[in-house]
Amino acid sequence: MAFPTKKLIDDPNDVVTEFIEGLVETYPGLQYLDGFPLVKVVLRADVSAATYDKVAVISGGGSGHEPAHAGFVGEGMLTAAICGDIFSSPPVDSILAGIRAVTGPKGCLLIVKNYTGDRLNFGLAAELAKSEGFKVETVIVGDDCALPPPRGIAGRRGLAGTILVHKVAGAAAAGGLSLADVTAEAKHASEIVGTMGVALTVCTIPGQVTSDRLGPGKMELGLGIHGEPGAAVADIQPVNVVVSHVLQQILSTETNYVPITRGERVVLMVNGLGGTPTMELMITAGKTVPQLQLEHGLAVDRVYTGSFMTSLDMAGFSITIMKADPTILQRLDAPTKAPYWPVAADGNHPPAKIPVPIPASRSAKTDEPRSQSQQLNEQGQILEVAIEAAANAIINIKDDLNEWDGKVGDGDCGSTMCRGAKAILEDIKNYPLNDAVETVSEIGSSIGRSMGGTSGIIYTIFFKAAHSQLKASSHSGVTSKQWAEALAASITAVSKYGGASAGYRTLLDALIPALSVLEEKLNHDPITAFVLSSEAASAGAQSTVDMQAQAGRSTYVSGEILSTVPDPGAMAAAAWYRAAALAVKDKYQS
């Protein structure tokens, strides 16, 4: 069984030439030879064979591995890239045209991945170029570590490690070295690098349907870059487990593919295969470095993470390990104008993490929990029960909030609010509850650290605005009137920075009615006013069912859907506000 896929492709026969046209329009330092469709060569716009006084470094192969190889053309890396059709070696005439276009008196180095078609076509082109008087050398890269040592003549496949060889050779050539020396450095680099790939899906070749040889929950280990089956099929495992297996293969002392032993220094490349999000590649890199350090005893000098040599739209990754020495690092760090080389990855790494800075006012505080029952005054005890009740109310309606948000938003309102509530319950043991003003600030800090997203920002603003108002108006205890003023300041701040107001279908539709009732009833009985205002908050939240959204993701949802559920943000605000009011009432009555 197979299935079609959606692609931004007009004619499968034109994908390579149209890719090249888009590439050179994007990067003005690149040009291509006017020989389509047979000759598909990308070259540096600043290089001419008649005037170029350095060794030209040329690579290429079948297309479908973008950004390789054309994306690595630029000063300090490749001088030209020869592009074949999808997964097909470029023809001899195309390779020869590339050699003629950029090779000056110092000659050229061909860097060729170890596939039979590439070796034969690049080899014949090299011989023809030599017969024309060009100086040509060739380095074959076979960095694959997935298969047992071959018994035939095919040898190890060329994979993403080839990109590191490009960089080493390109930097050496840019430094003015001779053809013999550039070749020697490239050959050395090819002998100290190993790669293994893991696929989660099969790639889609333009104009063809996608094979479903990989069923649900399966992955392939040790694949090449041309859609061919891997060495083995296995159940999908956690990233740590997959990385561990890959590193064992690359660094195996039995096959001894890579001459790397404990105590040495290495370079790591985590390469996406075309359909893997950057987030997942970074997760993989984050799992790989500590395993190299702790399990294999290696120092990691450089980490390159991204999509360098892909297999069209295949989901998966490959890991490349190269032995590091001063010359290798110098070549990798050397400047380049190749558009897809990660220029920000040069140099030694500072520590990956440093302590989170904390305000001076908090740094002097003790981390030891206090014995609250012995130390809290009356206002502190009331504040404690109100905070705990409000937080627990949010936790209790987490699923309802997510369900409502699933219809009008992105479905995580309850989970986001719950993270904030749990952080508050965890941190409350360190809140200065006898100091209501600073406690309000600490609540904002707990939320800002834990919640994330728009809700986290809004509530952080809410509590920090309340803190600023209370700090300006109160000097000992906080009066009921000052609490009301703090609520008003918070609503004003949220409206100012969030852009919403009454009737926009947001949390303000619960809090604005609450403030109105609170201010109206406050002079009679503050506790009763608090409870009545919480009823107004609940009613306001329920009224959002009849509102058309004018803020947030709900603005993209049809009115028909909105009319079936209340705004989850308003319902959350009403829930914690009402729970706090009832807790304060119960505390006073007891």
Side-chain angles (χ1 to χ4, degrees):
M1 178 182 178
F3 55 91
T5 56
K6 301 174 182 177
K7 293 291 177 183
L8 296 173
I9 292 173
D10 294 329
D11 185 341
N13 296 315
D14 296 334
V15 292
V16 179
T17 55
E18 291 183 349
F19 156 73
I20 292 173
E21 289 170 342
L23 181 74
V24 300
E25 291 293 348
T26 302
Y27 299 105
L30 304 180
Q31 293 179 317
Y32 65 89
L33 295 182
D34 186 14
F36 289 169
L38 176 63
V39 174
K40 296 184 279 288
V41 177
V42 176
L43 62 157
R44 284 172 52 181
D46 61 337
V47 169
S48 167
T51 59
Y52 195 49
D53 61 352
K54 295 179 179 177
V55 172
V57 180
I58 301 173
S59 189
S63 295
H65 308 303
E66 291 69 33
H69 301 80
F72 297 106
V73 173
E75 182 181 351
M77 210 161 174
L78 296 181
T79 319
I82 321 298
C83 305
D85 291 328
I86 298 297
F87 297 164
S88 298
S89 177
V92 173
D93 288 347
S94 189
I95 302 169
L96 193 54
I99 294 173
R100 292 168 178 157
V102 297
T103 304
K106 294 196 72 170
C108 74
L109 170 65
L110 303 181
I111 299 177
V112 183
K113 298 190 305 301
N114 189 30
Y115 294 96
T116 302
D118 286 358
R119 288 202 317 269
L120 291 175
N121 287 344
F122 275 88
L124 178 53
E127 294 306 314
L128 293 173
K130 289 176 185 177
S131 71
E132 295 179 11
F134 291 100
K135 299 176 184 177
V136 182
E137 294 290 346
T138 302
V139 169
I140 307 294
V141 181
D143 55 315
D144 182 19
C145 297
L147 304 175
R151 287 187 279 269
I153 62 172
R156 299 161 62 190
R157 298 171 292 192
L159 301 175
T162 310
I163 305 301
L164 297 178
V165 179
H166 290 165
K167 184 63 176 66
V168 170
L177 272 64
S178 68
L179 177 58
D181 288 339
V182 173
T183 302
E185 288 204 21
K187 189 173 187 302
H188 170 65
S190 72
E191 293 170 344
I192 58 173
V193 64
T195 300
M196 179 175 171
V198 177
L200 305 181
T201 66
V202 179
C203 65
T204 305
I205 297 177
Q208 300 183 22
V209 293
T210 305
S211 165
D212 67 344
R213 71 170 188 262
L214 269 183
K218 298 292 183 181
M219 62 182 179
E220 278 185 329
L221 303 172
L223 68 152
I225 52 173
H226 300 104
E228 69 267 40
V233 176
D235 292 334
I236 290 180
Q237 300 290 321
V239 181
N240 255 332
V241 176
V242 178
V243 167
S244 178
H245 174 77
V246 170
L247 294 182
Q248 292 288 351
Q249 288 286 111
I250 296 174
L251 300 170
S252 168
T253 55
E254 295 181 11
T255 56
N256 199 32
Y257 272 149
V258 186
I260 297 174
T261 57
R262 296 183 73 86
E264 294 187 322
R265 313 189 76 83
V266 297
V267 169
L268 166 67
M269 172 181 279
V270 177
N271 169 59
L273 296 177
T276 308
T278 299
M279 176 181 285
E280 294 178 30
L281 295 177
M282 291 299 175
I283 289 171
T284 303
K287 305 289 186 183
T288 305
V289 171
Q291 287 199 30
L292 285 170
Q293 294 169 332
L294 300 176
E295 296 182 18
H296 296 277
L298 300 172
V300 182
D301 280 336
R302 303 289 184 274
V303 179
Y304 305 103
T305 302
S307 293
F308 303 96
M309 184 174 286
T310 65
S311 184
L312 293 168
D313 59 351
M314 181 179 286
F317 66 90
S318 66
I319 289 177
T320 298
I321 308 294
M322 175 180 271
K323 185 175 180 179
D325 59 44
T327 300
I328 289 289
L329 295 179
Q330 179 186 358
R331 300 307 186 205
L332 294 177
D333 291 347
T336 178
K337 293 183 179 179
Y340 284 92
W341 177 258
V343 294
D346 64 320
N348 295 320
H349 286 204
K353 57 184 177 181
I354 60 174
V356 176
I358 59 175
S361 60
R362 294 183 60 196
S363 61
K365 294 179 182 178
T366 177
D367 290 331
E368 295 181 5
R370 52 185 161 66
S371 176
Q372 292 183 351
S373 60
Q374 297 175 1
Q375 298 181 17
L376 293 185
N377 59 26
E378 181 182 11
Q379 188 176 55
Q381 294 175 30
I382 293 171
L383 194 55
E384 179 183 40
V385 297
I387 293 170
E388 290 178 342
N392 283 314
I394 291 298
I395 294 170
N396 291 338
I397 64 167
K398 169 190 170 185
D399 292 339
D400 290 334
L401 293 174
N402 280 340
E403 181 180 352
W404 293 325
D405 197 38
K407 296 178 180 178
V408 300
D410 53 7
D412 67 350
C413 177
S415 300
T416 301
M417 294 289 295
C418 189
R419 284 197 300 272
K422 288 182 176 179
I424 289 169
L425 291 178
E426 173 64 25
D427 294 347
I428 194 172
K429 62 182 179 290
N430 291 318
Y431 288 170
L433 292 169
N434 287 340
D435 185 342
V437 178
E438 290 307 313
T439 294
V440 169
S441 178
E442 293 297 311
I443 293 173
S445 298
S446 297
I447 290 172
R449 173 178 50 81
S450 62
M451 274 179 61
T454 303
S455 296
I457 293 294
I458 287 175
Y459 271 101
T460 303
I461 290 172
F462 181 94
F463 282 99
K464 292 302 181 180
H467 170 256
S468 296
Q469 177 62 33
L470 290 173
K471 192 172 183 179
S473 62
S474 64
H475 303 287
S476 53
V478 180
T479 65
S480 301
K481 183 174 182 294
Q482 288 167 338
W483 280 120
E485 291 170 346
L487 178 59
S490 296
I491 290 172
T492 299
V494 169
S495 179
K496 174 184 177 181
Y497 293 109
S501 57
Y504 275 46
R505 194 181 164 97
T506 70
L507 80 166
L508 296 182
D509 291 305
L511 297 178
I512 290 174
L515 175 62
S516 178
V517 171
L518 187 64
E519 291 175 333
E520 178 186 350
K521 305 290 186 181
L522 198 59
N523 292 333
H524 301 291
D525 177 9
I527 303 303
T528 301
F530 196 4
V531 173
L532 290 175
S533 69
S534 73
E535 294 174 357
S538 298
Q542 289 290 345
S543 73
T544 58
V545 172
D546 302 319
M547 296 178 186
Q548 179 61 46
Q550 298 183 62
R553 287 187 174 90
S554 296
T555 55
Y556 308 117
V557 179
S558 69
E560 183 179 352
I561 295 175
L562 292 175
S563 65
T564 64
V565 294
D567 177 68
M571 294 298 289
W576 65 255
Y577 189 94
R578 176 126 178 98
L582 294 177
V584 170
K585 176 184 177 183
D586 291 343
K587 184 67 176 177
Y588 269 105
Q589 288 180 343
S590 65

